[in-house]
Amino acid sequence: MRAIQLQEFGGPELLQLVELPAPAPGDGEVLIEVSRAGLNFADTHQRTNSYLAKAEVPLVPGVEVAGTRTDTGERVVAICGNGGYAEYATAPAALTFPIPDGIDDGTALALLIQGLTAWHLYKTCARVQPGESVVVHSAAGGVGSLAVQLGRPLGAGRVIASASTEEKRALALELGADVAIDGAAEGLTERLIEANEGRPVDAVFEMAGGAVFDASFDALAHFGRIVAYGIATREQNEIRTGKLMKTSRTVAGFWFTHCLGRPEMVDAALADLYARAARGELRAVVGATYPLADAAQAQIDLAERRTTGKLLLDPRA
């Protein structure tokens, strides 16, 4: 089968198209003929072995796929952990989910990791209360574009989006944000408060780290919450306990991996997301689909924030 493999950690040029034997499913696993593989920002960290979970080479990247179970012929989406950038992948049966009729592969992948992340940012981490203001950074991205749309249904009173370009801010407004602002760190605190009609904000979903995190933290109201679910800048932050007490603010972290093995955190939430999509209430923004051989370019475009929505690889192209 055709696959993308890393023989050593480093730059995107190390993502090489190779021929490998198709993997054999182990106990409790299924074999999937992959129609689409999802790209995630974490893939760019894994390529340099700078992700939270350390990897070993040789490695076929790709944590999620959509395709067909070879044993049943059923259309499924699955979290495979590794091996998704290929024509075939194995995945635990417990992390393989049927794709409902009327849902395409791109939508199914967008609602899996990104959709569940957005859902848990509201419900599990920030625990947004009715009428509260919510800031969604990177609002045109895979998680952000869904978090913007989930704001009102999950109780937010005002959804403030940030994005890096006018085009992306226009998309955020189209998806339901009340206001969309420039997400650059300089002056961000003041822009966030102004966007919230002069008041500090209640909740922030943040995935950049560094100066953006600090500026967002400073825009929080008393008892406000900021949830870190990514470190795209690779710049980590430190918060002193005295500052937390002085401001009565909360800092939370979210890593989707901790939902795995907890069906109560996945099954009902995913069913809710699929139902909203089927009713036309939730639109998965599916961005570019790259041929498998262009995996390196896909990761470059993702890391340099040239993209919108969910990015896919087509192993058949």
Side-chain angles (χ1 to χ4, degrees), residues 224-261:
R225 292 84 68 203
I226 183 169
V227 185
Y229 70 97
I231 317 172
T233 63
R234 292 173 166 79
E235 298 173 9
Q236 298 199 39
N237 298 77
E238 294 183 359
I239 296 290
R240 296 175 65 88
T241 52
K243 189 171 186 178
L244 291 177
M245 293 176 62
K246 187 176 181 179
T247 58
S248 291
R249 295 168 180 162
T250 297
V251 178
F254 179 80
W255 188 23
F256 178 74
T257 296
H258 292 140
C259 294
L260 304 182

PDB file of all heavy atoms in Angstrom, residues 224-261:
ATOM      1  N   GLY A 224     -13.651  34.373  35.470  1.00  0.00           N
ATOM      2  CA  GLY A 224     -13.529  33.970  34.076  1.00  0.00           C
ATOM      3  C   GLY A 224     -12.604  32.767  33.944  1.00  0.00           C
ATOM      4  O   GLY A 224     -11.795  32.468  34.829  1.00  0.00           O
ATOM      5  N   ARG A 225     -12.723  32.047  32.813  1.00  0.00           N
ATOM      6  CA  ARG A 225     -11.950  30.834  32.573  1.00  0.00           C
ATOM      7  C   ARG A 225     -11.269  30.896  31.215  1.00  0.00           C
ATOM      8  O   ARG A 225     -11.888  31.307  30.242  1.00  0.00           O
ATOM      9  CB  ARG A 225     -12.850  29.582  32.585  1.00  0.00           C
ATOM     10  CG  ARG A 225     -13.442  29.218  33.936  1.00  0.00           C
ATOM     11  CD  ARG A 225     -14.718  29.986  34.249  1.00  0.00           C
ATOM     12  NE  ARG A 225     -15.824  29.606  33.373  1.00  0.00           N
ATOM     13  CZ  ARG A 225     -16.870  30.401  33.132  1.00  0.00           C
ATOM     14  NH1 ARG A 225     -16.951  31.616  33.656  1.00  0.00           N
ATOM     15  NH2 ARG A 225     -17.839  29.983  32.339  1.00  0.00           N
ATOM     16  N   ILE A 226     -10.021  30.485  31.180  1.00  0.00           N
ATOM     17  CA  ILE A 226      -9.321  30.330  29.904  1.00  0.00           C
ATOM     18  C   ILE A 226      -8.915  28.873  29.776  1.00  0.00           C
ATOM     19  O   ILE A 226      -8.384  28.280  30.712  1.00  0.00           O
ATOM     20  CB  ILE A 226      -8.102  31.271  29.793  1.00  0.00           C
ATOM     21  CG1 ILE A 226      -7.438  31.130  28.411  1.00  0.00           C
ATOM     22  CG2 ILE A 226      -7.099  31.057  30.915  1.00  0.00           C
ATOM     23  CD1 ILE A 226      -6.398  32.211  28.131  1.00  0.00           C
ATOM     24  N   VAL A 227      -9.227  28.280  28.632  1.00  0.00           N
ATOM     25  CA  VAL A 227      -8.926  26.870  28.390  1.00  0.00           C
ATOM     26  C   VAL A 227      -7.841  26.782  27.321  1.00  0.00           C
ATOM     27  O   VAL A 227      -8.034  27.246  26.195  1.00  0.00           O
ATOM     28  CB  VAL A 227     -10.177  26.094  27.933  1.00  0.00           C
ATOM     29  CG1 VAL A 227      -9.838  24.607  27.824  1.00  0.00           C
ATOM     30  CG2 VAL A 227     -11.341  26.310  28.889  1.00  0.00           C
ATOM     31  N   ALA A 228      -6.712  26.192  27.670  1.00  0.00           N
ATOM     32  CA  ALA A 228      -5.616  25.969  26.725  1.00  0.00           C
ATOM     33  C   ALA A 228      -5.775  24.582  26.123  1.00  0.00           C
ATOM     34  O   ALA A 228      -5.742  23.585  26.844  1.00  0.00           O
ATOM     35  CB  ALA A 228      -4.278  26.093  27.435  1.00  0.00           C
ATOM     36  N   TYR A 229      -5.957  24.527  24.792  1.00  0.00           N
ATOM     37  CA  TYR A 229      -6.097  23.223  24.144  1.00  0.00           C
ATOM     38  C   TYR A 229      -5.098  23.041  23.013  1.00  0.00           C
ATOM     39  O   TYR A 229      -5.201  22.112  22.213  1.00  0.00           O
ATOM     40  CB  TYR A 229      -7.533  23.010  23.662  1.00  0.00           C
ATOM     41  CG  TYR A 229      -7.972  23.868  22.495  1.00  0.00           C
ATOM     42  CD1 TYR A 229      -7.927  23.368  21.197  1.00  0.00           C
ATOM     43  CD2 TYR A 229      -8.442  25.155  22.674  1.00  0.00           C
ATOM     44  CE1 TYR A 229      -8.324  24.134  20.120  1.00  0.00           C
ATOM     45  CE2 TYR A 229      -8.855  25.926  21.608  1.00  0.00           C
ATOM     46  CZ  TYR A 229      -8.789  25.413  20.332  1.00  0.00           C
ATOM     47  OH  TYR A 229      -9.192  26.190  19.270  1.00  0.00           O
ATOM     48  N   GLY A 230      -4.091  23.912  22.959  1.00  0.00           N
ATOM     49  CA  GLY A 230      -3.032  23.805  21.970  1.00  0.00           C
ATOM     50  C   GLY A 230      -1.914  24.772  22.303  1.00  0.00           C
ATOM     51  O   GLY A 230      -2.103  25.696  23.111  1.00  0.00           O
ATOM     52  N   ILE A 231      -0.757  24.540  21.689  1.00  0.00           N
ATOM     53  CA  ILE A 231       0.392  25.441  21.862  1.00  0.00           C
ATOM     54  C   ILE A 231       1.015  25.642  20.488  1.00  0.00           C
ATOM     55  O   ILE A 231       2.147  25.241  20.221  1.00  0.00           O
ATOM     56  CB  ILE A 231       1.433  24.882  22.857  1.00  0.00           C
ATOM     57  CG1 ILE A 231       0.771  24.269  24.088  1.00  0.00           C
ATOM     58  CG2 ILE A 231       2.399  25.989  23.311  1.00  0.00           C
ATOM     59  CD1 ILE A 231       1.728  23.537  24.998  1.00  0.00           C
ATOM     60  N   ALA A 232       0.252  26.260  19.590  1.00  0.00           N
ATOM     61  CA  ALA A 232       0.692  26.363  18.198  1.00  0.00           C
ATOM     62  C   ALA A 232       2.006  27.123  18.055  1.00  0.00           C
ATOM     63  O   ALA A 232       2.813  26.824  17.172  1.00  0.00           O
ATOM     64  CB  ALA A 232      -0.395  27.042  17.364  1.00  0.00           C
ATOM     65  N   THR A 233       2.234  28.115  18.933  1.00  0.00           N
ATOM     66  CA  THR A 233       3.477  28.889  18.854  1.00  0.00           C
ATOM     67  C   THR A 233       4.659  28.147  19.470  1.00  0.00           C
ATOM     68  O   THR A 233       5.800  28.591  19.339  1.00  0.00           O
ATOM     69  CB  THR A 233       3.323  30.230  19.592  1.00  0.00           C
ATOM     70  OG1 THR A 233       3.095  29.965  20.984  1.00  0.00           O
ATOM     71  CG2 THR A 233       2.192  31.049  19.014  1.00  0.00           C
ATOM     72  N   ARG A 234       4.375  27.039  20.161  1.00  0.00           N
ATOM     73  CA  ARG A 234       5.385  26.301  20.918  1.00  0.00           C
ATOM     74  C   ARG A 234       5.970  27.132  22.058  1.00  0.00           C
ATOM     75  O   ARG A 234       7.040  26.818  22.585  1.00  0.00           O
ATOM     76  CB  ARG A 234       6.495  25.768  20.001  1.00  0.00           C
ATOM     77  CG  ARG A 234       6.019  24.677  19.038  1.00  0.00           C
ATOM     78  CD  ARG A 234       7.093  24.287  18.040  1.00  0.00           C
ATOM     79  NE  ARG A 234       6.796  23.043  17.341  1.00  0.00           N
ATOM     80  CZ  ARG A 234       5.956  22.929  16.324  1.00  0.00           C
ATOM     81  NH1 ARG A 234       5.319  23.994  15.882  1.00  0.00           N
ATOM     82  NH2 ARG A 234       5.748  21.762  15.740  1.00  0.00           N
ATOM     83  N   GLU A 235       5.255  28.189  22.451  1.00  0.00           N
ATOM     84  CA  GLU A 235       5.682  29.041  23.565  1.00  0.00           C
ATOM     85  C   GLU A 235       4.760  28.777  24.754  1.00  0.00           C
ATOM     86  O   GLU A 235       3.595  29.153  24.741  1.00  0.00           O
ATOM     87  CB  GLU A 235       5.598  30.527  23.169  1.00  0.00           C
ATOM     88  CG  GLU A 235       6.504  30.892  22.008  1.00  0.00           C
ATOM     89  CD  GLU A 235       6.271  32.321  21.532  1.00  0.00           C
ATOM     90  OE1 GLU A 235       5.534  33.068  22.226  1.00  0.00           O
ATOM     91  OE2 GLU A 235       6.810  32.685  20.479  1.00  0.00           O
ATOM     92  N   GLN A 236       5.292  28.115  25.780  1.00  0.00           N
ATOM     93  CA  GLN A 236       4.480  27.789  26.938  1.00  0.00           C
ATOM     94  C   GLN A 236       4.423  28.968  27.915  1.00  0.00           C
ATOM     95  O   GLN A 236       5.288  29.842  27.916  1.00  0.00           O
ATOM     96  CB  GLN A 236       5.022  26.543  27.638  1.00  0.00           C
ATOM     97  CG  GLN A 236       4.984  25.312  26.739  1.00  0.00           C
ATOM     98  CD  GLN A 236       5.067  24.029  27.520  1.00  0.00           C
ATOM     99  OE1 GLN A 236       4.500  23.890  28.589  1.00  0.00           O
ATOM    100  NE2 GLN A 236       5.789  23.060  26.967  1.00  0.00           N
ATOM    101  N   ASN A 237       3.391  28.960  28.741  1.00  0.00           N
ATOM    102  CA  ASN A 237       3.143  30.064  29.673  1.00  0.00           C
ATOM    103  C   ASN A 237       3.204  29.585  31.114  1.00  0.00           C
ATOM    104  O   ASN A 237       2.965  28.424  31.402  1.00  0.00           O
ATOM    105  CB  ASN A 237       1.759  30.680  29.406  1.00  0.00           C
ATOM    106  CG  ASN A 237       1.659  31.272  28.021  1.00  0.00           C
ATOM    107  OD1 ASN A 237       1.512  30.549  27.045  1.00  0.00           O
ATOM    108  ND2 ASN A 237       1.758  32.582  27.929  1.00  0.00           N
ATOM    109  N   GLU A 238       3.496  30.527  31.991  1.00  0.00           N
ATOM    110  CA  GLU A 238       3.494  30.248  33.421  1.00  0.00           C
ATOM    111  C   GLU A 238       2.562  31.244  34.113  1.00  0.00           C
ATOM    112  O   GLU A 238       2.563  32.436  33.793  1.00  0.00           O
ATOM    113  CB  GLU A 238       4.901  30.354  34.013  1.00  0.00           C
ATOM    114  CG  GLU A 238       5.859  29.290  33.481  1.00  0.00           C
ATOM    115  CD  GLU A 238       7.229  29.358  34.141  1.00  0.00           C
ATOM    116  OE1 GLU A 238       7.423  30.248  35.009  1.00  0.00           O
ATOM    117  OE2 GLU A 238       8.087  28.534  33.793  1.00  0.00           O
ATOM    118  N   ILE A 239       1.778  30.729  35.050  1.00  0.00           N
ATOM    119  CA  ILE A 239       0.846  31.575  35.811  1.00  0.00           C
ATOM    120  C   ILE A 239       1.160  31.404  37.296  1.00  0.00           C
ATOM    121  O   ILE A 239       1.243  30.279  37.793  1.00  0.00           O
ATOM    122  CB  ILE A 239      -0.621  31.173  35.547  1.00  0.00           C
ATOM    123  CG1 ILE A 239      -0.992  31.407  34.086  1.00  0.00           C
ATOM    124  CG2 ILE A 239      -1.560  31.935  36.459  1.00  0.00           C
ATOM    125  CD1 ILE A 239      -1.100  32.858  33.698  1.00  0.00           C
ATOM    126  N   ARG A 240       1.331  32.500  37.996  1.00  0.00           N
ATOM    127  CA  ARG A 240       1.606  32.451  39.430  1.00  0.00           C
ATOM    128  C   ARG A 240       0.296  32.293  40.205  1.00  0.00           C
ATOM    129  O   ARG A 240      -0.730  32.879  39.842  1.00  0.00           O
ATOM    130  CB  ARG A 240       2.341  33.715  39.878  1.00  0.00           C
ATOM    131  CG  ARG A 240       3.724  33.858  39.228  1.00  0.00           C
ATOM    132  CD  ARG A 240       4.364  35.182  39.600  1.00  0.00           C
ATOM    133  NE  ARG A 240       4.653  35.247  41.021  1.00  0.00           N
ATOM    134  CZ  ARG A 240       5.793  34.817  41.581  1.00  0.00           C
ATOM    135  NH1 ARG A 240       6.728  34.263  40.822  1.00  0.00           N
ATOM    136  NH2 ARG A 240       5.994  34.938  42.868  1.00  0.00           N
ATOM    137  N   THR A 241       0.349  31.487  41.252  1.00  0.00           N
ATOM    138  CA  THR A 241      -0.868  31.246  42.035  1.00  0.00           C
ATOM    139  C   THR A 241      -1.407  32.523  42.664  1.00  0.00           C
ATOM    140  O   THR A 241      -2.625  32.691  42.793  1.00  0.00           O
ATOM    141  CB  THR A 241      -0.599  30.196  43.127  1.00  0.00           C
ATOM    142  OG1 THR A 241       0.553  30.590  43.889  1.00  0.00           O
ATOM    143  CG2 THR A 241      -0.348  28.829  42.504  1.00  0.00           C
ATOM    144  N   GLY A 242      -0.530  33.419  43.037  1.00  0.00           N
ATOM    145  CA  GLY A 242      -0.991  34.682  43.612  1.00  0.00           C
ATOM    146  C   GLY A 242      -1.831  35.484  42.630  1.00  0.00           C
ATOM    147  O   GLY A 242      -2.813  36.132  43.013  1.00  0.00           O
ATOM    148  N   LYS A 243      -1.449  35.432  41.367  1.00  0.00           N
ATOM    149  CA  LYS A 243      -2.210  36.153  40.344  1.00  0.00           C
ATOM    150  C   LYS A 243      -3.584  35.527  40.167  1.00  0.00           C
ATOM    151  O   LYS A 243      -4.576  36.234  39.953  1.00  0.00           O
ATOM    152  CB  LYS A 243      -1.444  36.154  39.017  1.00  0.00           C
ATOM    153  CG  LYS A 243      -2.055  37.054  37.948  1.00  0.00           C
ATOM    154  CD  LYS A 243      -1.145  37.190  36.751  1.00  0.00           C
ATOM    155  CE  LYS A 243      -1.701  38.200  35.748  1.00  0.00           C
ATOM    156  NZ  LYS A 243      -0.796  38.375  34.585  1.00  0.00           N
ATOM    157  N   LEU A 244      -3.658  34.201  40.246  1.00  0.00           N
ATOM    158  CA  LEU A 244      -4.959  33.544  40.151  1.00  0.00           C
ATOM    159  C   LEU A 244      -5.863  33.979  41.298  1.00  0.00           C
ATOM    160  O   LEU A 244      -7.053  34.262  41.110  1.00  0.00           O
ATOM    161  CB  LEU A 244      -4.790  32.025  40.162  1.00  0.00           C
ATOM    162  CG  LEU A 244      -4.136  31.383  38.938  1.00  0.00           C
ATOM    163  CD1 LEU A 244      -3.979  29.889  39.154  1.00  0.00           C
ATOM    164  CD2 LEU A 244      -4.936  31.657  37.672  1.00  0.00           C
ATOM    165  N   MET A 245      -5.318  34.033  42.506  1.00  0.00           N
ATOM    166  CA  MET A 245      -6.122  34.447  43.651  1.00  0.00           C
ATOM    167  C   MET A 245      -6.559  35.907  43.527  1.00  0.00           C
ATOM    168  O   MET A 245      -7.709  36.254  43.789  1.00  0.00           O
ATOM    169  CB  MET A 245      -5.330  34.247  44.939  1.00  0.00           C
ATOM    170  CG  MET A 245      -5.059  32.797  45.285  1.00  0.00           C
ATOM    171  SD  MET A 245      -4.016  32.638  46.752  1.00  0.00           S
ATOM    172  CE  MET A 245      -5.080  33.403  47.978  1.00  0.00           C
ATOM    173  N   LYS A 246      -5.632  36.752  43.105  1.00  0.00           N
ATOM    174  CA  LYS A 246      -5.919  38.179  43.025  1.00  0.00           C
ATOM    175  C   LYS A 246      -7.007  38.489  42.008  1.00  0.00           C
ATOM    176  O   LYS A 246      -7.770  39.451  42.168  1.00  0.00           O
ATOM    177  CB  LYS A 246      -4.638  38.935  42.673  1.00  0.00           C
ATOM    178  CG  LYS A 246      -4.756  40.452  42.709  1.00  0.00           C
ATOM    179  CD  LYS A 246      -3.425  41.104  42.433  1.00  0.00           C
ATOM    180  CE  LYS A 246      -3.534  42.626  42.494  1.00  0.00           C
ATOM    181  NZ  LYS A 246      -2.213  43.271  42.236  1.00  0.00           N
ATOM    182  N   THR A 247      -7.113  37.653  40.967  1.00  0.00           N
ATOM    183  CA  THR A 247      -8.066  37.923  39.889  1.00  0.00           C
ATOM    184  C   THR A 247      -9.269  36.985  39.906  1.00  0.00           C
ATOM    185  O   THR A 247     -10.210  37.198  39.140  1.00  0.00           O
ATOM    186  CB  THR A 247      -7.368  37.788  38.521  1.00  0.00           C
ATOM    187  OG1 THR A 247      -6.809  36.473  38.410  1.00  0.00           O
ATOM    188  CG2 THR A 247      -6.258  38.825  38.367  1.00  0.00           C
ATOM    189  N   SER A 248      -9.236  35.956  40.739  1.00  0.00           N
ATOM    190  CA  SER A 248     -10.306  34.938  40.769  1.00  0.00           C
ATOM    191  C   SER A 248     -10.589  34.397  39.365  1.00  0.00           C
ATOM    192  O   SER A 248     -11.741  34.280  38.936  1.00  0.00           O
ATOM    193  CB  SER A 248     -11.595  35.507  41.393  1.00  0.00           C
ATOM    194  OG  SER A 248     -11.418  35.736  42.772  1.00  0.00           O
ATOM    195  N   ARG A 249      -9.525  34.061  38.674  1.00  0.00           N
ATOM    196  CA  ARG A 249      -9.641  33.486  37.338  1.00  0.00           C
ATOM    197  C   ARG A 249      -9.198  32.030  37.358  1.00  0.00           C
ATOM    198  O   ARG A 249      -8.480  31.608  38.263  1.00  0.00           O
ATOM    199  CB  ARG A 249      -8.781  34.275  36.333  1.00  0.00           C
ATOM    200  CG  ARG A 249      -9.243  35.709  36.130  1.00  0.00           C
ATOM    201  CD  ARG A 249      -8.205  36.518  35.373  1.00  0.00           C
ATOM    202  NE  ARG A 249      -8.640  37.898  35.166  1.00  0.00           N
ATOM    203  CZ  ARG A 249      -7.828  38.899  34.853  1.00  0.00           C
ATOM    204  NH1 ARG A 249      -6.525  38.673  34.708  1.00  0.00           N
ATOM    205  NH2 ARG A 249      -8.298  40.112  34.687  1.00  0.00           N
ATOM    206  N   THR A 250      -9.642  31.282  36.347  1.00  0.00           N
ATOM    207  CA  THR A 250      -9.332  29.860  36.254  1.00  0.00           C
ATOM    208  C   THR A 250      -8.600  29.574  34.954  1.00  0.00           C
ATOM    209  O   THR A 250      -9.000  30.063  33.890  1.00  0.00           O
ATOM    210  CB  THR A 250     -10.629  29.023  36.292  1.00  0.00           C
ATOM    211  OG1 THR A 250     -11.264  29.221  37.552  1.00  0.00           O
ATOM    212  CG2 THR A 250     -10.335  27.544  36.104  1.00  0.00           C
ATOM    213  N   VAL A 251      -7.545  28.775  35.041  1.00  0.00           N
ATOM    214  CA  VAL A 251      -6.835  28.277  33.869  1.00  0.00           C
ATOM    215  C   VAL A 251      -7.058  26.771  33.788  1.00  0.00           C
ATOM    216  O   VAL A 251      -6.795  26.049  34.752  1.00  0.00           O
ATOM    217  CB  VAL A 251      -5.328  28.579  33.948  1.00  0.00           C
ATOM    218  CG1 VAL A 251      -4.605  28.003  32.732  1.00  0.00           C
ATOM    219  CG2 VAL A 251      -5.090  30.075  34.055  1.00  0.00           C
ATOM    220  N   ALA A 252      -7.565  26.310  32.665  1.00  0.00           N
ATOM    221  CA  ALA A 252      -7.823  24.879  32.469  1.00  0.00           C
ATOM    222  C   ALA A 252      -7.082  24.399  31.227  1.00  0.00           C
ATOM    223  O   ALA A 252      -6.770  25.177  30.329  1.00  0.00           O
ATOM    224  CB  ALA A 252      -9.320  24.620  32.315  1.00  0.00           C
ATOM    225  N   GLY A 253      -6.792  23.119  31.202  1.00  0.00           N
ATOM    226  CA  GLY A 253      -6.180  22.512  30.025  1.00  0.00           C
ATOM    227  C   GLY A 253      -7.086  21.427  29.470  1.00  0.00           C
ATOM    228  O   GLY A 253      -7.884  20.830  30.201  1.00  0.00           O
ATOM    229  N   PHE A 254      -6.971  21.188  28.167  1.00  0.00           N
ATOM    230  CA  PHE A 254      -7.743  20.110  27.541  1.00  0.00           C
ATOM    231  C   PHE A 254      -6.885  19.412  26.510  1.00  0.00           C
ATOM    232  O   PHE A 254      -6.306  20.054  25.625  1.00  0.00           O
ATOM    233  CB  PHE A 254      -9.006  20.640  26.865  1.00  0.00           C
ATOM    234  CG  PHE A 254      -9.808  19.541  26.199  1.00  0.00           C
ATOM    235  CD1 PHE A 254     -10.641  18.725  26.936  1.00  0.00           C
ATOM    236  CD2 PHE A 254      -9.704  19.315  24.830  1.00  0.00           C
ATOM    237  CE1 PHE A 254     -11.354  17.688  26.333  1.00  0.00           C
ATOM    238  CE2 PHE A 254     -10.420  18.298  24.216  1.00  0.00           C
ATOM    239  CZ  PHE A 254     -11.249  17.488  24.977  1.00  0.00           C
ATOM    240  N   TRP A 255      -6.777  18.086  26.641  1.00  0.00           N
ATOM    241  CA  TRP A 255      -6.101  17.237  25.660  1.00  0.00           C
ATOM    242  C   TRP A 255      -7.063  16.120  25.316  1.00  0.00           C
ATOM    243  O   TRP A 255      -7.458  15.340  26.188  1.00  0.00           O
ATOM    244  CB  TRP A 255      -4.803  16.689  26.233  1.00  0.00           C
ATOM    245  CG  TRP A 255      -3.939  15.964  25.245  1.00  0.00           C
ATOM    246  CD1 TRP A 255      -3.944  16.104  23.884  1.00  0.00           C
ATOM    247  CD2 TRP A 255      -2.919  15.004  25.534  1.00  0.00           C
ATOM    248  NE1 TRP A 255      -2.998  15.295  23.301  1.00  0.00           N
ATOM    249  CE2 TRP A 255      -2.349  14.605  24.292  1.00  0.00           C
ATOM    250  CE3 TRP A 255      -2.431  14.440  26.717  1.00  0.00           C
ATOM    251  CZ2 TRP A 255      -1.323  13.673  24.212  1.00  0.00           C
ATOM    252  CZ3 TRP A 255      -1.398  13.508  26.629  1.00  0.00           C
ATOM    253  CH2 TRP A 255      -0.852  13.136  25.396  1.00  0.00           C
ATOM    254  N   PHE A 256      -7.456  16.051  24.051  1.00  0.00           N
ATOM    255  CA  PHE A 256      -8.495  15.107  23.638  1.00  0.00           C
ATOM    256  C   PHE A 256      -8.151  13.657  23.994  1.00  0.00           C
ATOM    257  O   PHE A 256      -9.041  12.843  24.246  1.00  0.00           O
ATOM    258  CB  PHE A 256      -8.747  15.235  22.132  1.00  0.00           C
ATOM    259  CG  PHE A 256      -9.778  14.271  21.621  1.00  0.00           C
ATOM    260  CD1 PHE A 256     -11.116  14.469  21.895  1.00  0.00           C
ATOM    261  CD2 PHE A 256      -9.402  13.161  20.877  1.00  0.00           C
ATOM    262  CE1 PHE A 256     -12.074  13.572  21.440  1.00  0.00           C
ATOM    263  CE2 PHE A 256     -10.344  12.267  20.414  1.00  0.00           C
ATOM    264  CZ  PHE A 256     -11.690  12.469  20.699  1.00  0.00           C
ATOM    265  N   THR A 257      -6.873  13.345  24.034  1.00  0.00           N
ATOM    266  CA  THR A 257      -6.448  11.986  24.359  1.00  0.00           C
ATOM    267  C   THR A 257      -7.076  11.478  25.657  1.00  0.00           C
ATOM    268  O   THR A 257      -7.366  10.287  25.801  1.00  0.00           O
ATOM    269  CB  THR A 257      -4.909  11.929  24.458  1.00  0.00           C
ATOM    270  OG1 THR A 257      -4.360  12.222  23.163  1.00  0.00           O
ATOM    271  CG2 THR A 257      -4.420  10.568  24.904  1.00  0.00           C
ATOM    272  N   HIS A 258      -7.306  12.389  26.598  1.00  0.00           N
ATOM    273  CA  HIS A 258      -7.851  11.968  27.886  1.00  0.00           C
ATOM    274  C   HIS A 258      -9.332  11.594  27.813  1.00  0.00           C
ATOM    275  O   HIS A 258      -9.884  11.079  28.794  1.00  0.00           O
ATOM    276  CB  HIS A 258      -7.622  13.064  28.934  1.00  0.00           C
ATOM    277  CG  HIS A 258      -6.182  13.239  29.288  1.00  0.00           C
ATOM    278  ND1 HIS A 258      -5.614  14.476  29.486  1.00  0.00           N
ATOM    279  CD2 HIS A 258      -5.184  12.328  29.441  1.00  0.00           C
ATOM    280  CE1 HIS A 258      -4.325  14.321  29.763  1.00  0.00           C
ATOM    281  NE2 HIS A 258      -4.048  13.032  29.737  1.00  0.00           N
ATOM    282  N   CYS A 259      -9.969  11.844  26.683  1.00  0.00           N
ATOM    283  CA  CYS A 259     -11.355  11.380  26.489  1.00  0.00           C
ATOM    284  C   CYS A 259     -11.404   9.927  26.041  1.00  0.00           C
ATOM    285  O   CYS A 259     -12.427   9.253  26.210  1.00  0.00           O
ATOM    286  CB  CYS A 259     -12.061  12.242  25.443  1.00  0.00           C
ATOM    287  SG  CYS A 259     -12.313  13.961  25.923  1.00  0.00           S
ATOM    288  N   LEU A 260     -10.305   9.451  25.457  1.00  0.00           N
ATOM    289  CA  LEU A 260     -10.285   8.105  24.920  1.00  0.00           C
ATOM    290  C   LEU A 260     -10.325   7.097  26.070  1.00  0.00           C
ATOM    291  O   LEU A 260      -9.713   7.288  27.115  1.00  0.00           O
ATOM    292  CB  LEU A 260      -9.033   7.889  24.065  1.00  0.00           C
ATOM    293  CG  LEU A 260      -8.852   8.896  22.924  1.00  0.00           C
ATOM    294  CD1 LEU A 260      -7.610   8.563  22.125  1.00  0.00           C
ATOM    295  CD2 LEU A 260     -10.082   8.934  22.036  1.00  0.00           C
ATOM    296  N   GLY A 261     -11.053   6.049  25.863  1.00  0.00           N
ATOM    297  CA  GLY A 261     -11.242   5.086  26.931  1.00  0.00           C
ATOM    298  C   GLY A 261     -12.344   5.474  27.898  1.00  0.00           C
ATOM    299  O   GLY A 261     -12.597   4.773  28.882  1.00  0.00           O
TER     300      GLY A 261
END
